[in-house]
């Protein structure tokens, strides 16, 4: 059972002054659907572990979807905005910056194993007042070891740098299945279609075509986590039918949409 004081908010100063002396502190609990925490940053690095539900996290550089049985790691001092897409059960772990030097230097979605999930739960069972105890520090060391070797999940989408392209990207992310003619988008950005594609790739590192496909896949994962059917998702995203959608999804993730969360539930350590 989660310790009572780990269900209360963690004190998070913007710098190291007044911070906890412990390597990590934790907070468990739930968030209602639609709750948003607008752009902010912490001195401590943060790990969100999603037990049930899903969230969307956005930074100045990208956009991330985090479904059940995944976690997202946010390095120290990175501005981020979080929206809970459904009623979500989550755990937060906040690490001293010097403890996570071997973890990714950018926001990353991480696959979680049964061992990692049990380790996090065990840490949450230790009262926050004892988070610096020998037992707690040993658990944190193993959690960090597991995080360092956990696979990254392809659940991110880079954001363009310029405001005119960021606005277009935001609209497409919100409705990836809509018809978005290239000529119309280029005109909106005051560019030729060729220039639009060149600038988009320069700013995101992806071709516009590949970026649109990734936007559809992230929306598909979001909708799968919410329980929508494969057929409904396929048609909502503009595919000719479920078979076409399943083929694209399998190519990207290595499994069918129906197997995506089942696979995570069966993973062993």
């Amino acid at each position: 059972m989660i310790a009572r004081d780990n269900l209360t908010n963690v004190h998070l100063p913007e710098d190291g002054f007044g911070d906890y002396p412990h390597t990590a502190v934790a907070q468990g609990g739930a968030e209602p659907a639609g709750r948003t925490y607008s752009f902010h940053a912490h001195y401590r690095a943060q790990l969100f572990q999603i037990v049930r539900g899903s969230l969307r996290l956005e930074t100045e550089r990208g956009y991330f979807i985090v479904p059940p049985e995944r976690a997202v790691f946010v390095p120290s001092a990175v501005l981020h905005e979080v929206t809970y897409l459904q009623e979500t059960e989550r755990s937060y772990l906040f690490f001293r910056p010097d403890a996570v030097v071997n973890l990714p230097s950018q926001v990353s979605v991480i696959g979680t194993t049964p061992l990692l999930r049990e380790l996090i739960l065990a840490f949450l069972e230790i009262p926050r007042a004892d988070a610096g105890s020998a037992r707690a520090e040993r658990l944190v060391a193993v959690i960090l070891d597991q995080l360092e070797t956990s696979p990254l999940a392809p659940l991110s989408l880079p954001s363009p740098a310029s405001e005119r392209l960021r606005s277009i990207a935001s609209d497409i992310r919100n409705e990836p299945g809509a018809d978005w003619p290239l000529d119309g988008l280029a005109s909106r950005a005051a560019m030729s279609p060729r220039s639009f594609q060149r600038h988009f790739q320069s700013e995101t590192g992806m071709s516009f075509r590949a970026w649109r496909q990734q936007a559809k896949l992230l929306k598909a994962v979001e909708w799968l986590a919410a329980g929508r059917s494969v057929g409904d998702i396929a048609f909502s995203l503009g595919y000719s039918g479920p078979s076409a959608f399943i083929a694209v999804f399998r190519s990207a993730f290595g499994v069918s949409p129906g197997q995506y969360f089942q696979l995570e539930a069966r993973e062993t350590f």
Side-chain angles (χ1 to χ4, degrees):
M1 181 181 294
I2 296 175
R4 185 182 298 273
D5 58 352
N6 284 333
L7 293 171
T8 62
N9 289 338
V10 176
H11 171 61
L12 294 172
E14 294 183 2
D15 53 35
F17 295 100
D19 189 23
Y20 301 94
H22 324 311
T23 302
V25 287
Q27 180 184 333
E31 303 284 356
R35 173 168 286 173
T36 296
Y37 295 95
S38 58
F39 277 97
H40 63 284
H42 312 295
Y43 168 72
R44 282 182 172 255
Q46 182 176 9
L47 183 80
F48 300 73
Q49 185 225 347
I50 305 303
V51 178
R52 176 178 55 85
S54 59
L55 66 81
R56 177 178 65 238
L57 186 144
E58 188 167 0
T59 72
E60 294 177 329
R61 301 182 62 177
Y63 173 92
F64 306 80
I65 294 293
V66 191
E69 311 301 347
R70 310 300 193 282
V72 60
F73 176 72
V74 181
S76 170
V78 172
L79 278 171
H80 57 285
E81 180 178 80
V82 180
T83 299
Y84 289 89
L85 303 171
Q86 306 158 254
E87 184 177 348
T88 299
E89 182 181 350
R90 85 298 182 268
S91 301
Y92 300 148
L93 267 66
F94 298 94
F95 300 98
R96 283 202 324 260
D98 61 294
V100 294
V101 293
N102 292 325
L103 293 186
S105 59
Q106 298 179 357
V107 176
S108 301
V109 180
I110 298 171
T112 58
T113 64
L115 174 58
L116 181 57
R117 294 192 290 272
E118 289 300 319
L119 288 166
I120 292 172
L121 179 58
F123 185 69
L124 281 162
E125 291 173 349
I126 298 174
R128 189 174 300 158
D130 297 326
S133 67
R135 178 188 173 214
E137 290 289 333
R138 287 195 300 269
L139 272 173
V140 171
V142 182
I143 289 170
L144 289 170
D145 182 66
Q146 287 293 302
L147 289 172
E148 288 171 15
T149 58
S150 293
L152 302 185
L155 294 170
S156 63
L157 191 67
S159 295
S162 64
E163 183 55 39
R164 57 182 173 177
L165 293 187
R166 285 177 70 91
S167 175
I168 290 171
S170 177
D171 289 346
I172 295 173
R173 283 200 317 257
N174 290 334
E175 296 186 76
D179 185 23
W180 296 101
L182 179 59
D183 287 351
L185 295 175
S187 177
R188 177 175 160 184
M191 300 178 185
S192 68
R194 188 172 181 177
S195 179
F196 175 87
Q197 292 184 89
R198 186 173 66 252
H199 279 272
F200 202 95
Q201 177 146 7
S202 174
E203 294 186 24
T204 64
M206 300 176 71
S207 71
F208 180 64
R209 179 187 180 91
W211 189 95
R212 276 202 66 189
Q213 178 168 294
Q214 181 71 356
K216 288 185 178 185
L217 288 169
L218 291 195
K219 183 61 74 172
V221 171
E222 176 185 330
W223 285 342
L224 285 168
R228 290 181 61 172
S229 71
V230 170
D232 181 33
I233 292 171
F235 288 114
S236 296
L237 291 177
Y239 291 97
S240 58
S243 295
F245 165 61
I246 290 170
V248 172
F249 193 97
R250 188 187 296 276
S251 176
F253 296 110
V255 295
S256 71
Q259 296 170 319
Y260 188 66
F261 294 116
Q262 295 174 18
L263 181 67
E264 288 294 322
R266 292 197 304 269
E267 278 189 353
T268 57
F269 47 84

